[in-house]
Amino acid sequence: MALIDPILLKSRLGQLAGRFDVDALDECDSTSSELMRRADRGAPAGTVVVADRQSAGRGRRGRSWLSAPASSLTFSLLWRFAGSPARLAGLSLAVGVAVARGLEQLGAQGVCLKWPNDLLLTQSAGHAKLAGILVELASDRRGTQAIIGIGLNLQPPAETLPQPVAGLNQALSGEVERQQVLAVLLGALAEILDRFDRHGFAALRGDWQQRHAWQNEIVHLLGEGAAPLVGRCLGVDEDGALLLETGGGVERIYSGDVSLRRP
Ligand code: BTN
């Protein structure tokens, strides 16, 4: 039996239960790949696939995503928007705001955001990665579908990873049940995605900036096939582009990986 109990989840979702159709699996290749196949067969918005184990979990920029069943929550949510992907600038940052707000509702402290869409936990030694988000868009003549994949560490992963990692347990003072975490995150996602659909990222930019881990810090930006850039991180614009102040002025950055420049 999967670690998510559907009956408990339904009760935790309360009035929101009607907006989501959640399938809890023991294992799949990737919750996002599985959901994409279901979306192709006509699954409605609000379909969720959550899995204890992924044999081919995917991260940003072609990386893989490893997660241990008991210490992580991995799920994907299908959402549909009218119009083309051009309307959806900043969607993955909006998802970051939703996840941060959900974790805060659970009582988490020290959660912050790293561009474009990582969730970090502030710790005495610096910031450590708490969750990752992968948003994949596909459009047809009816509109655009988003497969929103979220991997959250409930406890810090045991394996050694290239960057510091944290678990939700380190941000909370007590225990929290897995169903409750998923229900609260889905509730926060529904609220923020509705707001994003009506007003775009502009309406959420303030929420993002407020939680920005590296506001005004000097960072390195690594982009595929581009020379690394160093600059002061000024946050994001209304489309979710990173504003980087370099010797040449303020540049708008649309893709890449940011890391903090060590003194
Ligand atoms: C990243 O930080 O690189 C994004 C990681 C996203 C991982 C999640 S886990 C659930 C969903 N299924 C996947 O295969 N990937 C996303």
Side-chain angles (χ1 to χ4, degrees):
M1 201 173 88
L3 290 168
I4 288 283
D5 177 335
I7 298 181
L8 268 184
L9 177 66
K10 197 167 175 203
S11 87
R12 301 295 178 261
L13 279 167
Q15 292 186 334
L16 278 172
R19 286 198 78 177
F20 297 103
D21 180 5
V22 182
D23 194 5
L25 307 175
D26 296 329
E27 179 163 356
C28 63
D29 51 353
S30 143
T31 54
S32 291
S33 306
E34 174 59 27
L35 189 55
M36 222 170 268
R37 292 187 287 268
R38 295 183 187 199
D40 288 345
R41 298 196 297 267
T47 302
V48 177
V49 174
V50 51
D52 297 346
R53 252 183 217 86
Q54 299 184 113
S55 54
R58 295 185 283 110
R60 281 181 63 239
R61 298 165 75 83
R63 291 186 276 249
S64 57
W65 181 263
L66 301 172
S67 48
S71 57
S72 59
L73 180 65
T74 53
F75 67 99
S76 300
L77 164 68
L78 170 62
W79 214 254
R80 294 187 199 277
F81 299 90
S84 75
R87 264 194 70 219
L88 304 183
L91 173 61
S92 66
L93 281 79
V95 171
V97 169
V99 176
R101 282 173 58 143
L103 298 181
E104 287 159 8
Q105 275 170 41
L106 290 166
Q109 291 191 353
V111 175
C112 51
L113 294 166
K114 177 189 150 195
W115 186 87
N117 46 14
D118 278 355
L119 279 100
L120 305 182
L121 186 65
T122 311
Q123 296 183 317
S124 51
H127 293 103
K129 184 156 170 169
L130 184 60
I133 294 166
L134 178 70
V135 176
E136 294 165 292
L137 302 178
S139 48
D140 62 19
R141 60 182 187 287
R142 288 166 302 173
T144 303
Q145 78 176 28
I147 304 280
I148 298 168
I150 296 171
L152 167 69
N153 301 325
L154 298 176
Q155 274 109 42
E159 63 269 37
T160 313
L161 293 164
Q163 68 180 113
V165 280
L168 179 61
N169 65 326
Q170 296 171 304
L172 296 172
S173 52
E175 295 274 303
V176 62
E177 179 204 64
R178 171 182 297 268
Q179 285 75 208
Q180 179 71 5
V181 177
L182 181 56
V184 169
L185 291 183
L186 291 176
L189 281 160
E191 188 192 327
I192 293 289
L193 292 172
D194 286 347
R195 202 153 131 211
F196 178 88
D197 201 13
R198 282 197 302 273
H199 309 290
F201 181 66
L204 297 161
R205 179 175 172 241
D207 295 72
W208 198 94
Q209 292 273 127
Q210 209 186 310
R211 296 173 176 83
H212 182 199
W214 294 342
Q215 185 71 17
N216 295 324
E217 300 277 1
I218 304 292
V219 297
H220 273 283
L221 178 95
L222 281 180
E224 235 164 78
L229 270 179
V230 176
R232 185 176 299 279
C233 200
L234 300 182
V236 292
D237 72 5
E238 298 205 337
D239 287 332
L242 181 76
L243 300 171
L244 195 67
E245 186 181 49
T246 64
V250 177
E251 299 197 32
R252 285 187 156 66
I253 310 288
Y254 294 92
S255 73
D257 270 329
V258 183
S259 58
L260 201 55
R261 192 175 73 172
R262 301 280 158 222

